[in-house]
């Protein structure tokens, strides 16, 4: 018997998504890096990406990269979060490439690489307006001058990021600026940059529209592969599957109850003051699923007529008054996931995982 709650993971569809996006990028000579952090680097998912033709995998946690290598995943590994000084030794041991923005960290990587008689490849991140990681454009040449003098590390390129902390969208103008910075570095220091990493899933729209600058030759794509979504634009990617991950939860209570609570309203368990609308008596179900398992605001019921009322840490309340079919205690209900929900559900130790390779699967049986 399958255990609930559970993530039903369709590896065939993740492979197909990887193939489709990879082929799209290859039309413009762009390498696709598969980002695994959105599903907590589930090894089977990482392997599906590799089976789909992806040669490099990226994750924000060195622990995940270490795990994937120990599991025998045959791909280059990229650490996509700026390394912590306290983990530099592990970065050198497990990551083939890392994204960087702090010279003190790069100096430490250099020293550790020398100890291990190796060359560690780095991509210098440039902040083009999203205000997450990266050096400012005016400081790029200053830091590159220091990097190229360091033994044990090789600057293979520069990169940038969009839509992660400030919602700044990628544009032809901003990516052209990145290319010009790369050319300025090459001219100033007499080096060739192998990689100009243009960003994440949000940049795929420029690829689809055929307006990606010619020298952008790498994209780091996570949610586009995992869920077939461009969440920055709230759209599905043409040619991809969105039902790659389905969350199933079990009904543990069915009752007709008032829609308006009785008594004085204070803050709930998460410090919020809930607001309710009086809709009279409603048929409600409780599912064995809560905020400790998943980001509730980003799950979508597959069956029509179900409305999410709210959740505590361990209970999800849904309104099933308008559901056409009969629901009983013990029944299972399925939900599609957006990125925050996948991130949290794959991280929770309370959510079980089951893997499928068939095209059409019924998960809630």
């Amino acid at each position: 018997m399958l255990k609930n709650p559970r993530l039903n993971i369709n590896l065939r569809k993740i492979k197909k998504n990887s193939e489709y996006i990879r082929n799209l990028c290859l039309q413009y000579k762009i390498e696709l890096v598969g980002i695994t952090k959105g599903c907590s680097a589930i090894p089977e998912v990482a392997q599906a990406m590799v089976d789909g033709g992806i040669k490099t995998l990226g994750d924000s946690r060195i622990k995940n990269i270490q795990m994937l290598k120990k599991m025998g995943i045959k791909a280059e590994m990229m650490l996509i979060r700026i390394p912590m000084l306290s983990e530099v030794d592990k970065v050198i041991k497990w990551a083939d490439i890392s994204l960087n923005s702090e010279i003190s960290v790069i100096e430490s990587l250099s020293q550790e690489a020398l100890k291990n008689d190796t060359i560690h490849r780095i991509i210098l991140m440039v902040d083009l307006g999203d205000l997450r990681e990266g050096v400012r454009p005016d400081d790029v040449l200053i830091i590159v001058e220091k990097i190229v003098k360091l033994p044990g590390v090789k600057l293979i390129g520069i990169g940038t990021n969009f839509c992660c902390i400030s919602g700044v969208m990628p544009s032809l103008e901003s990516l052209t600026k990145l290319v010009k910075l790369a050319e300025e570095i090459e001219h100033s220091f007499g080096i060739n940059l192998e990689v100009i990493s243009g960003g994440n899933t949000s940049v795929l729209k420029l690829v689809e529209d055929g307006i990606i600058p010619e020298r952008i030759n790498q994209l780091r794509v996570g949610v586009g592969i995992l869920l077939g979504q461009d969440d920055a634009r709230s759209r599905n990617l043409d040619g991809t599957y969105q039902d790659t991950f389905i969350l199933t939860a079990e009904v543990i209570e069915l009752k007709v109850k008032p829609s308006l609570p009785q008594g004085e309203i204070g803050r709930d368990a998460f410090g919020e003051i809930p607001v309710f609308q009086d809709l009279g008596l409603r048929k409600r179900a409780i599912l064995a699923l809560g905020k400790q398992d998943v980001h509730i605001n980003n799950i979508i019921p597959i069956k029509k007529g179900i409305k999410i009322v709210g959740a505590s840490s361990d209970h999800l309340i849904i309104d099933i008054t308008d559901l056409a079919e009969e629901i009983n205690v013990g029944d299972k209900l399925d939900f599609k996931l957006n990125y925050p929900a996948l991130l949290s559900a794959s991280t929770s130790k309370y959510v079980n995982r089951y893997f499928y390779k068939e095209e059409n699967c019924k998960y809630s049986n």
Side-chain angles (χ1 to χ4, degrees), residues 36-37 40-41 57-71 76-100 105 109 112 120-121:
T36 58
K37 67 173 184 175
S40 299
L57 298 175
D59 201 278
S60 57
R61 288 168 168 78
I62 198 66
K63 184 176 182 179
N64 286 345
I65 289 174
Q66 178 180 348
M67 177 266 295
L68 291 177
K69 282 205 166 183
K70 286 186 173 182
M71 292 293 291
E76 285 211 307
M77 297 293 174
M78 176 187 292
L79 181 64
I80 62 170
R81 182 172 67 184
I82 307 305
M84 294 183 280
L85 281 171
S86 59
E87 66 181 6
V88 160
D89 57 336
K90 294 183 177 63
V91 175
I92 295 299
K93 183 175 181 178
W94 297 107
D96 302 293
I97 307 165
S98 62
L99 308 185
N100 285 270
V105 175
L109 288 168
E112 190 65 29
H120 182 72
R121 289 169 285 162

Side-chain angles (χ1 to χ4, degrees), residues 56 74 91 172 184 204 210-212 229 231 256 258 269 325 331:
T56 304
K74 304 299 183 184
V91 175
L172 175 60
E184 193 173 352
L204 287 175
I211 59 171
I212 192 83
Q229 297 175 354
D231 47 358
V256 175
E325 62 190 86
D331 285 352

